[in-house]
Amino acid sequence: MPTTLRPKFLAPDEGLRLQSGPGRDLVFKVTGDDTGGAFDYFVVEVAPNGGPPLHVHHRQEETLHVLSGRFKVRVGDEEHTLERGAFAFMPSGLPHAFLNLNDQPAEVIVVYTPGGGHAFYEELGPVTRNGAPEPSEVAACFERHDMSLLGPPLSTD
């Protein structure tokens, strides 16, 4: 059966650049639009001591592969420290979050399956990028994309 998908080649700095709050830029190498909905693959540039709030995906699996830096990662009741080259699988239905433990920016690769997560960040970025957003507005954005916001970001202690 022939595929309708098209190959895609990108230079190191190319991709769909989206924002997810102060100091968290995402560069999507492919989105669900590119992969027939199968997956998203993106690089997250995480600010020092930054990371997403505790949340849960109701339908997407997520993986995290550390390119640089050191991260605290919580999935369900488990918490681990991941360094360069380490990997985590975060099944849907389990609350999770990660935190850059460095005093400098760090990077991770994230894969969502199925794809389509870029639509969430296209909506969330403008809400969170400039200052303190209204918590109910952020929570509603999560809900519209089959996720729930559960709590604040992880802390360093």
Side-chain angles (χ1 to χ4, degrees):
M1 178 172 167
T3 181
T4 58
L5 300 179
R6 307 219 7 103
K8 187 171 187 177
F9 303 92
L10 299 171
D13 292 332
E14 291 182 323
L16 173 63
R17 183 173 289 272
L18 298 173
Q19 299 170 334
S20 175
R24 276 193 63 227
D25 288 350
L26 303 93
V27 180
F28 280 80
K29 299 302 185 174
V30 291
T31 69
D33 292 344
D34 301 312
T35 65
F39 69 96
D40 297 313
Y41 180 104
F42 55 105
V43 178
V44 182
E45 301 166 349
V46 186
N49 301 304
L54 184 65
H55 64 284
V56 64
H57 297 250
H58 299 295
R59 67 176 193 90
Q60 284 182 315
E61 317 299 339
E62 182 174 353
T63 63
L64 186 77
H65 187 173
V66 178
L67 290 178
S68 67
R70 187 169 178 257
F71 288 84
K72 178 194 284 190
V73 179
R74 177 178 165 194
V75 182
D77 294 330
E78 295 186 51
E79 203 168 273
H80 294 270
T81 300
L82 302 182
E83 306 216 10
R84 185 178 177 272
F87 177 89
F89 171 62
M90 300 172 278
S92 63
L94 286 179
H96 61 276
F98 59 87
L99 176 72
N100 176 2
L101 294 171
N102 298 297
D103 58 0
Q104 58 191 343
E107 288 188 322
V108 294
I109 295 171
V110 175
V111 175
Y112 286 162
T113 58
H118 68 288
F120 167 70
Y121 295 105
E122 286 174 334
E123 184 178 346
L124 182 68
V127 171
T128 61
R129 196 61 176 183
N130 299 315
E134 180 62 41
S136 62
E137 191 176 351
V138 174
C141 181
F142 272 76
E143 293 296 331
R144 283 191 293 276
H145 294 275
D146 294 319
M147 295 181 282
S148 296
L149 182 59
L150 302 175
L154 298 177
S155 64
T156 56
D157 50 359

